[in-house]
Amino acid sequence: HTSSHTSSHTHLHTHTTNTHNKHTYLTSHTYPIMPDQGNDDQQKTVKLQSAEPDERVFEVPRAIADMSVTIRHMLIDVGEMDHPIPLSNVSGKILEKVIKYCEYHHENPEPADDKKDEKKTDDISPWDETFCNVDQATLFELILAANYLDIKSLLDLTCKTVAKMIKGKTPEQIRKTFNIKNDFTPEEEQQVKKENAWCEEH
């Protein structure tokens, strides 16, 4: 009787071990699939097409394309597609620069700083400063592209660059810098100075 009981106990123990091994086997083979699926999206590439007349096509990683809120929403709306996404408001030359900016900042993300003052113009990094060291026409095209593509950090940077060019200058110097014709009356000019006094505070 004792012998039979022992045999039954041993069998039960073996069955439990097999169940445990089976569970371990299933877990180790099914669990890693989830992270891989998450990474797949970021490893895919997206084709972007610049405006006419050049209509250049750039193939970029999904993670870079997603830095533009506009493009990210397009991809969510239409899903995956083989043909390029047309960006009718951005020239080839400007799109190339925007991609260069996104690639650099994707590889070198800035640490989050809650106290960062968006109106300050003296906190531009050396890389960003070099990036914005372009002629005025290109700088203004970059502002329009950053606005259209909804890339907040690039819009902040390009606007700060313009603010830095204006800072400390008289209205006459500003007009000369940007080749602006003066059509203000003296009274209107004083009013504008008052409204924009904060510029001089930073």
Side-chain angles (χ1 to χ4, degrees):
H1 179 73
T2 307
S3 171
S4 168
H5 176 74
T6 308
S7 170
S8 170
H9 179 75
T10 306
H11 175 70
L12 182 66
H13 178 72
T14 308
H15 176 71
T16 307
T17 306
N18 285 344
T19 307
H20 177 70
N21 286 345
K22 185 179 179 185
H23 176 71
T24 308
Y25 174 81
L26 286 171
T27 306
S28 64
H29 280 72
T30 56
Y31 181 73
I33 292 172
M34 291 306 292
D36 288 347
Q37 285 173 337
N39 290 338
D40 275 357
D41 235 21
Q42 295 302 309
Q43 286 165 2
K44 287 173 184 165
T45 58
V46 176
K47 289 176 184 171
L48 307 174
Q49 183 176 298
S50 65
E52 295 177 350
D54 52 358
E55 293 188 331
R56 289 167 64 189
V57 174
F58 299 85
E59 189 164 357
V60 299
R62 174 69 186 261
I64 301 298
D66 275 353
M67 289 175 75
S68 159
V69 176
T70 303
I71 294 171
R72 193 190 318 151
H73 286 169
M74 283 180 184
L75 290 168
I76 290 167
D77 290 343
V78 301
E80 288 180 47
M81 53 183 180
D82 294 328
H83 60 275
I85 296 172
L87 302 172
S88 55
N89 292 5
V90 189
S91 70
K93 181 184 84 167
I94 296 301
L95 184 55
E96 187 174 15
K97 278 192 75 69
V98 170
I99 290 168
K100 185 181 176 185
Y101 171 87
C102 290
E103 284 173 342
Y104 176 82
H105 283 280
H106 180 69
E107 295 297 324
N108 305 275
E110 283 187 21
D113 185 0
D114 295 335
K115 294 178 182 175
K116 194 169 182 180
D117 187 346
E118 291 185 0
K119 289 180 181 175
K120 281 184 75 175
T121 58
D122 58 359
D123 58 349
I124 299 172
S125 74
W127 191 93
D128 283 345
E129 201 159 343
T130 303
F131 175 82
C132 285
N133 187 16
V134 292
D135 60 82
Q136 276 182 37
T138 301
L139 182 59
F140 287 119
E141 278 191 77
L142 280 169
I143 291 173
L144 294 173
N147 186 51
Y148 167 68
L149 295 170
D150 200 350
I151 306 172
K152 186 180 182 300
S153 61
L154 179 56
L155 187 59
D156 287 346
L157 169 65
T158 46
C159 288
K160 275 185 182 184
T161 302
V162 172
K164 200 173 177 183
M165 290 164 74
I166 291 170
K167 192 176 176 180
K169 285 187 167 70
T170 64
E172 291 74 23
Q173 288 170 326
I174 293 167
R175 279 193 284 272
K176 195 172 178 183
T177 302
F178 297 104
N179 197 22
I180 301 166
K181 184 185 172 188
N182 180 18
D183 54 3
F184 281 126
T185 65
E187 292 77 18
E188 286 172 334
E189 200 163 295
Q190 283 305 314
Q191 184 61 30
V192 170
K193 277 183 185 176
K194 265 190 217 171
E195 287 170 3
N196 294 282
W198 64 265
C199 286
E200 300 304 320
E201 293 166 13
H202 292 274

